[in-house]
Amino acid sequence: MKRAHRQKLQLCDALEKIADALPGVDRLHCLGTANAIVPLLRNIHQYEETIIFPAYEAALAGVNVNLASTRRLRAEHVEDECFAGEVTEILLAIGQSETVKNAEAVGFMLRGFFESVRRHIAFEREHVLPMIGIVDWS
C-alpha cells in the first residue's frame, strides 16, 4: 500500500508540474504521464478492492459500522478512472503538439483530478489503513 500511495502521489506531482507549466509544457513529459495514468490507477484500484477493502470491512464487522465508506471509495475508483481517461486524452493531445488553447481550463482539469486522488489517499491513510494494522508511513 505504501508503494501504491507513493506511485499515485508521484503521478499527482507530475500532473501538478504540468499544470504549473501550462501552456509551455514539456511534451514528452505529457506523453509519458498520459501513458501511465490509466494502467497505474487500474492496477492500484484492483489491489485495493480485492485486498485492502475486504480487510477493512472485516475489521469493521466486529464494530457494527456502516460500510458506506468502502462503497464510496469504490465509486471514487470508477470516477477517477473515467476522469483519468479524459486527462489522458488532453495530455496525449498536448504531447502530440496540439496547441493549448485554454491553459486555465486544462490546469483546472488537471488540478481537479490530482486533488481528488490526494484526498482519496488521505482518507485511506487516516481511516482505512490504521484499521487493518498499517500505520507506519515513514
Side-chain angles (χ1 to χ4, degrees), residues 18-113:
I18 291 168
D20 289 346
L22 287 167
V25 298
D26 178 338
R27 296 189 187 286
L28 287 176
H29 184 62
C30 287
L31 289 173
T33 303
N35 288 319
I37 297 172
V38 172
L40 176 71
L41 289 182
R42 280 191 184 142
N43 289 336
I44 292 172
H45 291 166
Q46 180 182 14
Y47 173 73
E48 289 177 352
E49 291 178 14
T50 59
I51 305 297
I52 300 300
F53 295 169
Y56 178 64
E57 290 170 341
L60 292 178
V63 186
N64 195 21
V65 173
N66 185 333
L67 299 178
S69 293
T70 51
R71 284 193 298 274
R72 189 188 81 246
L73 291 170
R74 283 184 173 94
E76 287 178 10
H77 285 174
V78 173
E79 292 169 7
D80 287 349
E81 288 181 28
C82 289
F83 202 174
E86 294 174 22
V87 168
T88 296
E89 288 179 28
I90 294 289
L91 293 179
L92 286 173
I94 294 169
Q96 295 168 352
S97 299
E98 186 173 305
T99 303
V100 179
K101 295 176 182 147
N102 188 340
E104 187 175 324
V106 173
F108 187 76
M109 176 188 204
L110 296 178
R111 290 179 199 291
F113 177 73

Side-chain angles (χ1 to χ4, degrees), residues 1-13 40 44 47-48 52-53 77 117-126 128-130 134 137:
M1 232 13 242
K2 290 179 188 181
R3 183 181 59 173
H5 281 175
R6 186 173 50 252
Q7 289 174 324
K8 287 199 303 188
L9 290 171
Q10 287 170 343
L11 172 65
C12 290
D13 291 345
L40 176 71
I44 292 172
Y47 173 73
E48 289 177 352
I52 300 300
F53 295 169
H77 285 174
V117 171
R118 286 178 176 159
R119 278 191 302 276
H120 185 95
I121 291 169
F123 182 85
E124 288 177 344
R125 284 183 173 179
E126 293 170 7
V128 176
L129 300 180
I134 301 174
W137 287 101

